[in-house]
Amino acid sequence: QVQLVESGGGLVQPGGSLRLSCAASGFIFRRNAMGWYRQAPGKQRELVAVITSSGSTNYQGSLKGRFTISRDNAKNTVYLQMSSLKPEDTAVYYCHARIGVPEYWGQGTQVTVSS
């Protein structure tokens, strides 16, 4: 059974940093690309970043330079390091995996950027 469990969200002041984690199980993690998406209130879910099985990364253009996606295959975990956070980064952040045809989502972790 595929499971994706996010953690690390919370309340942070503008300009601050957070690191999100996604612990994966139920599939061969090292063989799969992993992604982070986010959904702000009243908006569609959008891609934040993707990391392939070989470690190549891709970011939503406006986030590159502030956000860094990484993975630890020994721990079956993908990370999202976020820095210089802005109020507009406030959203629920979701971990994503596509395993063959099916795709899977975590339950999400809330990130709120506010003073």
Side-chain angles (χ1 to χ4, degrees):
Q1 180 181 0
V2 174
Q3 283 194 314
L4 303 172
V5 180
E6 302 99 333
S7 61
L11 174 64
V12 62
Q13 292 188 340
S17 298
L18 277 177
R19 188 176 81 156
L20 307 183
S21 301
C22 171
S25 60
F27 63 102
I28 303 175
F29 178 81
R30 67 181 184 276
R31 293 184 181 175
N32 280 87
M34 299 294 298
W36 285 98
Y37 287 71
R38 69 184 184 183
Q39 188 166 18
K43 295 187 177 181
Q44 289 189 330
R45 193 171 297 188
E46 62 177 4
L47 173 70
V48 173
V50 174
I51 185 166
T52 68
S53 58
S54 62
S56 298
T57 58
N58 192 27
Y59 298 88
Q60 183 196 117
S62 63
L63 301 178
K64 193 172 184 179
R66 295 195 297 122
F67 288 18
T68 302
I69 188 171
S70 62
R71 64 191 297 157
D72 185 336
N73 289 338
K75 295 181 178 180
N76 285 2
T77 300
V78 60
Y79 303 98
L80 184 68
Q81 179 68 48
M82 306 183 293
S83 61
S84 302
L85 284 163
K86 304 174 182 180
E88 51 263 43
D89 294 318
T90 295
V92 179
Y93 285 71
Y94 296 92
C95 183
H96 174 268
R98 183 181 296 276
I99 304 167
V101 173
E103 58 180 348
Y104 299 88
W105 298 92
Q107 82 286 355
T109 186
Q110 176 71 47
V111 172
T112 302
V113 185
S114 176
S115 55

